[in-house]
Amino acid sequence: MEKREQLYEGKAKKVFATDDPELLIVSYKDDATAFNGLKKGTISGKGVINNRMSNLLMQMLEKSGIPTHFVEELSERETLVKKVSIVPLEVIIRNIAAGSFSKRYGRDEGEVFSAPTIEFSYKNDELGDPLLNEYHAIALGLATKEEIETIKRYAFETNRLLKAFWAECGITLVDFKLEFGKISDGSIVLADEISPDTCRLWDSKTGEKLDKDRFRRDLGGTEEAYAEVMKRLTEHI
Ligand code: ADP
Ligand code: UDP
């Protein structure tokens, strides 16, 4: 597999073309941003951890029937993935109130929901990723009704599988963001990444935050938290 030109540089990853038009290489960086790019920094070693973790979790999901973009881990920071046309929605599943949900609805962080919730944001940095509902997504032509049904099914099933896995690691899955895309035959697959950048993960016993909130909120110990999550994952997978 030959690596070709860089197609895109995002906030956390670079994307490269390959000699196969249906495959891409993603390269994970240590760069971290928060608050729509207003806060910038580096989490040393993050790219290596997120690459590995996302690949291990996607392989686990794939085995349980969730189609993903994962093809092959190429190196510490680089992975071969199926090229998708990204559905421009950030799909957020929540089990416990935190972050923007707590702020928006005036609820304490840590309130456990009786059932998981889902919400969608329009993936558009200029507009600040505004919240929208399924009807808005269809009206804006971002996805069809059928695609949204598939995305919801995969997202809730992913939550069920990841929640159970992290529980075995002594970690509570609070919330997370997924991105989906369409491969060349038009079918929907899980894309982008699953990592402490995109999930809230709390130590089940102490409640300690083991995710990007350490960076967002200047709590310190961010590198150590990412390493701890990775250690527990490799002990249990
Ligand atoms: P951002 O664009 O938000 O700054 P990243 O730095 O993570 O995010 O950049 C990775 C980009 O690649 C994102 O825009 C993401 O939607 C996109 N992407 C992820 N997986 C795939 C894929 N399999 N095919 C095409 N694009 C992808
Ligand atoms: N999230 C993400 N990318 C985004 C927005 C949110 O990965 O652009 C993740 C975030 O890490 C958390 C979940 O989605 O696990 C819910 O985030 P929330 O809406 O509470 O937003 P935040 O508090 O991060 O602004």
Side-chain angles (χ1 to χ4, degrees), residues 162-174 200-205 210 228-230 232-233:
L162 290 182
K163 212 167 95 172
F165 173 71
W166 285 123
E168 287 171 29
C169 305
I171 289 173
T172 303
L173 178 61
V174 175
R200 283 198 171 90
L201 303 166
W202 294 353
D203 182 273
S204 305
K205 283 211 191 88
L210 299 173
E228 176 64 22
V229 172
M230 188 63 208
R232 294 201 205 173
L233 180 144

Side-chain angles (χ1 to χ4, degrees), residues 90 92 94 98-100 175-177 197-200 216:
E90 297 203 331
I92 293 169
R94 301 179 189 271
S100 70
D175 59 29
F176 58 97
K177 182 267 298 178
D197 271 18
T198 63
C199 303
R200 283 198 171 90
R216 292 190 191 98

Side-chain angles (χ1 to χ4, degrees), residues 8 10-13 24 69 81-82 84 86 123 179 192:
Y8 177 77
K11 298 185 286 287
K13 301 189 281 303
L24 297 175
H69 73 165
V81 299
K82 291 177 191 163
V84 306
I86 288 283
K123 196 173 145 58
E179 291 183 28
D192 204 50

Side-chain angles (χ1 to χ4, degrees), residues 1-4 17-21 23-25 72 74 80:
M1 182 53 50
E2 197 144 336
K3 187 166 156 188
R4 296 267 168 94
T18 69
D19 50 10
D20 184 331
L23 298 175
L24 297 175
I25 292 172
E72 187 191 351
L74 300 175
L80 189 65

